[in-house]
Amino acid sequence: EEHLTQGMGLINETLTLEPSVALLGYTALARLQQARGNARAALATLDALAQVAEQRHYPAIWRAQGDAVRAHLEVALGNLGAAIRWADASGLSVQDTDLSYLREKAYLALARVRLAQGRDDPAAPLLQDTLHLLQRLQEAAEAKARINSVLEILVLRALALEAQGNRTGALSTLERALVLAEPEGYVRTLVDEGEPMR
């Protein structure tokens, strides 16, 4: 946390900075704050990212990624209304066909929002549409050997299958995620999903 905080100070002093560096720094700090249970600080950090992005005129694609991280956090905090407003305004759909890597995090945030909505009505098509989106994202990630992405997608697929009442499919998918996670010691990817993952 100390290193990230120092990095944020350096960002503010630097005249030119790649948007990807600012996004990485601020979102890493926000996730750390979330993991420590300080949701207020995490949201403030993401507000600061939005302010930096606006002041420095970052391209829309980078600002959208920061907004997606915030939506992910809103879902984790149970602020589903705010997350749904982001999803509805994002211009993204579970039916989209162009799932570029630059927008992967935004689509994963969308999947989390729709999954949270679908838990209230497991028979509605929302969960099945979300599973279809996750399958397409997984295929793209596997084709490029992006293991971290594959792991996160598998975790979300397991949660969606569980929400549908498909416990066998959920456990099988979760087992595959755990096999991928274990060699590298991935823990937060699973733990950060909170009570549904438990």
Side-chain angles (χ1 to χ4, degrees):
E1 185 173 21
E2 183 180 324
H3 289 294
L4 287 166
T5 303
Q6 287 174 354
M8 298 307 98
L10 292 173
I11 284 174
N12 293 330
E13 296 171 9
T14 304
L15 293 178
T16 59
L17 181 70
E18 287 294 317
S20 61
V21 174
L23 182 71
L24 183 61
Y26 278 98
T27 58
L29 181 58
R31 286 189 174 123
L32 176 62
Q33 292 163 331
Q34 174 196 3
R36 288 192 160 168
N38 194 343
R40 183 177 301 182
L43 290 171
T45 297
L46 293 174
D47 287 343
L49 171 60
Q51 186 176 13
V52 166
E54 184 177 327
Q55 289 171 346
R56 296 184 180 215
H57 308 289
Y58 286 168
I61 188 81
W62 295 108
R63 291 193 310 268
Q65 287 189 32
D67 293 343
V69 171
R70 185 181 186 97
H72 177 171
L73 181 59
E74 296 286 11
V75 170
L77 296 173
N79 300 333
L80 191 54
I84 291 170
R85 283 189 295 281
W86 167 82
D88 292 345
S90 71
L92 303 176
S93 166
V94 293
Q95 306 298 334
D96 289 349
T97 55
D98 181 19
L99 304 175
S100 74
Y101 173 66
L102 277 178
R103 297 174 77 185
E104 180 182 78
K105 290 296 183 190
Y107 279 108
L108 291 174
L110 177 68
R112 281 184 171 86
V113 173
R114 299 308 184 214
L115 170 58
Q117 287 179 279
R119 282 192 182 103
D120 292 334
D121 189 3
L126 198 51
L127 287 174
Q128 193 58 41
D129 291 345
T130 301
L131 279 166
H132 182 65
L133 169 66
L134 290 169
Q135 179 63 39
R136 291 180 295 129
L137 288 168
Q138 182 179 336
E139 289 167 3
E142 287 175 337
K144 301 290 184 184
R146 294 193 317 265
I147 300 304
N148 190 39
S149 294
V150 172
L151 175 60
E152 186 174 357
I153 293 163
L154 285 171
V155 166
L156 292 176
R157 287 189 66 213
L159 292 173
L161 289 165
E162 175 71 14
Q164 278 188 322
N166 182 352
R167 188 159 183 79
T168 302
L171 290 174
S172 173
T173 303
L174 183 57
E175 181 179 10
R176 182 163 178 230
L178 290 169
V179 166
L180 281 174
E182 194 273 333
E184 298 297 325
Y186 287 104
V187 174
R188 295 273 19 136
T189 303
L190 295 117
V191 174
D192 285 346
E193 296 302 327
E195 193 58 37
M197 178 54 68
R198 184 189 314 247

